[in-house]
Amino acid sequence: MASRGRPRAFDADVALRQALEVFWERGYEGTSLSDLAGAMGIASASIYACFGSKEDLFRQAVALYGTLSGAAPRRALRDQPSARVAIEAMLRATADEITRPDAPRGCLLVLAAPTGAVENHRVREFLADRRHSQFEAIRECLAADAEVPADDVDAIARFYTTVVHGLSIQARDGAGRAELETVIACAMAGWGAFRRRAAEPDGSSGRRPAK
């Protein structure tokens, strides 16, 4: 039996990739349905029929972004022999991704909706959850390394998550790959302080007990 309706006249995967680039460049609230329709080359009605609402489309675009641009940083955290090497590799992979010449600069998760209208709180919370997952991935990497002080895992993870987010803002503001490398070098220079803390016999913050 022949299927009902007219066959889809566009490639949904290509259209989603085009929508991703618009959201990535303009943010969630800065992107209108007409912007999406123009970039995707389809009518607004076809967007609703294939992808759902603008929010639904955005969530699908974020998932695609994670597959494309998030893969290398996640792999760096998993595949290195120590937490220090993994964190440095993750920062460099992030810097590579957010300065690619063939894509908008910066990280979609950081830039798409840090603030916005009250009615879009679900989108803000959705992105906050995705950013929190970055923190959790870094935390798990640190917690798996016995040389990282257990009491400091959360603070160190928070620090390097903040570096990741800062790199994205710097990239969007025009910083080049070499400039981001200097930020990474400074961030990794602090690793020695974590090692010294771990070596303290009393497990304290590095201060020797008063005599």
Side-chain angles (χ1 to χ4, degrees):
M1 179 182 296
S3 60
R4 292 183 177 181
R6 297 169 58 187
R8 184 179 295 163
F10 63 93
D11 186 318
D13 292 335
V14 172
L16 181 59
R17 179 62 181 264
Q18 292 164 332
L20 166 59
E21 293 196 1
V22 177
F23 282 127
W24 195 348
E25 182 63 44
R26 303 185 185 186
Y28 180 77
E29 290 193 3
T31 299
S32 67
L33 273 176
S34 62
D35 294 331
L36 292 166
M40 298 165 78
I42 59 179
S44 297
S46 296
I47 294 177
Y48 282 114
C50 183
F51 300 103
S53 67
K54 174 186 169 182
E55 182 179 334
D56 293 332
L57 175 59
F58 179 71
R59 289 172 181 263
Q60 293 171 62
V62 170
L64 177 60
Y65 174 83
T67 300
L68 297 175
S69 293
R74 287 196 304 270
R75 187 166 55 248
L77 284 176
R78 291 194 311 265
D79 296 347
Q80 303 301 327
S82 70
R84 188 200 184 287
V85 175
I87 294 296
E88 187 169 6
M90 179 270 296
L91 292 176
R92 285 184 170 148
T94 298
D96 289 341
E97 289 296 330
I98 62 179
T99 57
R100 286 170 44 195
D102 60 341
R105 297 174 70 86
C107 173
L108 173 68
L109 304 183
V110 174
L111 299 170
T115 60
V118 173
E119 59 267 25
N120 291 321
H121 70 278
R122 289 193 309 272
V123 172
R124 297 200 307 272
E125 290 174 355
F126 168 65
L127 289 171
D129 287 343
R130 297 299 292 254
R131 291 192 297 269
H132 185 71
S133 71
Q134 294 177 323
F135 164 77
E136 288 295 341
I138 294 171
R139 187 190 183 284
E140 289 176 10
C141 173
L142 294 166
D145 191 328
E147 293 189 355
V148 178
D151 291 344
D152 291 346
V153 164
D154 282 356
I156 298 170
R158 191 75 62 190
F159 171 74
Y160 283 111
T161 303
T162 302
V163 173
V164 169
H165 296 168
L167 289 172
S168 178
I169 295 171
Q170 287 291 304
R172 177 57 65 94
D173 286 348
R177 180 63 181 81
E179 293 169 299
L180 298 187
E181 185 65 29
T182 64
V183 176
I184 294 169
C186 290
M188 296 312 302
W191 192 270
F194 307 143
R195 293 294 303 275
R196 287 192 296 274
R197 179 181 174 92
E200 286 295 320
D202 63 353
S204 69
S205 62
R207 295 174 182 163
R208 298 189 180 282
K211 293 183 179 179

